[in-house]
Amino acid sequence: AARLEGKVAVITGANTGIGKETARDLARRGARVIVACRDIAKAEAAASEIRAETGNQQVTVRKLDLADTKSIREFAEKFLAEEKELHILINNAGVMLCPYSKTADGFEMHLGVNHLGHFLLTFLLLERLKQSAPARIVNVSSLAHHAGRIRFHDLHGEKSYNRGLAYCHSKLANVLFTRELARRLQGTKVTANALHPGSVHSELVRHSFVMMWLWKIFSFFLKTPWEGAQTSVYCAVAEELESVTGQYFSDCQPAYVSPWGRDDETAKKLWSVSCELLGIQWD
């Protein structure tokens, strides 16, 4: 198994589910792991469990609320002051099936957290990744991207909103972001890949009673968080992926991307609209 001594990894949303299992795996391989989460108490509990189990004391928690760009900027500022290197960034955190709500900056919650928050975080940490190259960016998307569209005329769901579709749209945004990011990073030795983690019983369904019941009924078909994390780990550490970039994986192999997820024009437009919404210049 690939060892990660001397490597630094940031994983968002690593206090539960797939993210926690991914953090555990990277810690076991000897990486220094920064668990970046909104819920500090939960994250500390997860981190101390991982430290105890792996014997790796370099698992630390930092506060990051992806629904607030101020928090994202504070996290990045602190990280850059403390850490001289960054080799692996796993954009894992996500919200799913939320009733209609907005982030601190007025973005629709799914798009705001799942796409825009991670877009800004990646922007702020990119120089450090380039300096530490070879480095990898791993974006957790979903099979649900197949049902997604980028609704430029109504990005924040003010005209019409369906929480299931809002999740799908945000997961398509992850795929398009990965595609355009990989294109822009050619020649830097920083790769960007996306993945579908498999159906995992994670707390993502906590907003929906019906989903929780369906989950319980069908759970024997589904993967455990450990299984769900395997493709994230694969994208983060597999030696054969050293120069592979701009791909989408499922079950540790390249998988089919929807036609909308392969549209370069949409990817470029989403990039510039995202920059505009976040008030950043990312050329």
Side-chain angles (χ1 to χ4, degrees):
R3 299 297 301 170
L4 298 173
E5 275 83 10
K7 302 286 188 201
V8 180
V10 167
I11 309 175
T12 67
N15 56 345
T16 168
I18 302 166
K20 182 177 169 184
E21 292 308 319
T22 305
R24 193 195 309 267
D25 191 298
L26 268 50
R28 202 175 274 129
R29 292 169 190 268
R32 172 163 169 65
V33 179
I34 287 101
V35 172
C37 296
R38 187 183 49 187
D39 186 335
I40 290 288
K42 240 186 185 175
E44 285 294 0
S48 69
E49 177 192 314
I50 291 170
R51 284 193 295 266
E53 196 192 301
T54 62
N56 180 344
Q57 294 311 302
Q58 300 194 82
V59 180
T60 54
V61 172
R62 291 289 175 268
K63 182 161 173 67
L64 170 67
D65 182 357
L66 287 157
D68 183 351
T69 58
K70 194 162 143 281
S71 169
I72 300 169
R73 288 180 179 281
E74 278 166 11
F75 167 85
E77 201 175 312
K78 229 189 199 125
F79 175 85
L80 295 171
E82 290 171 357
E83 303 289 339
K84 292 300 154 242
E85 293 188 291
L86 175 58
H87 305 93
I88 299 167
L89 170 60
I90 302 181
N91 290 319
N92 163 86
V95 293
M96 183 184 194
L97 303 172
C98 310
Y100 187 75
S101 55
K102 286 187 164 172
T103 68
D105 301 87
F107 310 142
E108 185 276 313
M109 191 60 70
H110 293 91
L111 191 78
V113 170
N114 300 355
H115 168 61
L116 291 166
H118 283 124
F119 187 95
L120 178 60
L121 179 66
T122 305
F123 168 74
L124 295 170
L125 299 182
L126 193 61
E127 262 330 289
R128 189 63 93 241
L129 284 155
K130 285 179 177 172
Q131 291 160 2
S132 314
R136 301 184 189 195
I137 298 161
V138 178
N139 295 325
V140 178
S141 176
S142 166
L143 187 62
H145 84 268
H146 286 279
R149 304 289 180 270
I150 305 299
R151 302 169 66 248
F152 290 109
H153 63 285
D154 187 23
L155 271 183
H156 303 298
E158 284 155 339
K159 298 193 181 89
S160 73
Y161 180 76
N162 171 303
R163 59 193 186 167
L165 285 175
Y167 176 72
C168 298
H169 300 333
S170 73
K171 295 289 103 180
L172 173 61
N174 294 154
V175 171
L176 291 165
F177 170 46
T178 304
R179 188 177 180 90
E180 180 63 10
L181 180 61
R183 193 185 68 75
R184 288 165 173 259
L185 289 176
Q186 276 164 351
T188 62
K189 285 205 166 18
V190 179
T191 62
N193 289 295
L195 65 103
H196 165 69
S199 304
V200 171
H201 350 250
S202 82
E203 292 180 34
L204 279 179
V205 293
R206 63 182 168 243
H207 288 294
S208 164
F209 183 72
V210 178
M211 278 293 286
M212 288 199 15
W213 271 106
L214 286 171
W215 221 254
K216 286 191 170 74
I217 295 162
F218 292 116
S219 60
F220 57 92
F221 295 129
L222 301 177
K223 300 181 180 178
T224 62
W226 181 85
E227 289 170 312
Q230 293 313 297
T231 305
S232 295
V233 172
Y234 175 72
C235 288
V237 310
E239 282 151 6
E240 65 267 32
L241 297 187
E242 177 111 21
S243 56
V244 172
T245 190
Q247 300 296 305
Y248 169 78
F249 292 86
S250 178
D251 289 317
C252 298
Q253 52 198 11
Y256 181 75
V257 176
S258 82
W260 290 273
R262 285 178 271 138
D263 187 325
D264 290 325
E265 283 319 295
T266 307
K268 289 185 171 76
K269 185 172 177 188
L270 178 63
W271 188 282
S272 66
V273 169
S274 301
C275 286
E276 232 164 275
L277 288 168
L278 292 162
I280 59 177
Q281 284 242 263
W282 188 352
D283 300 321

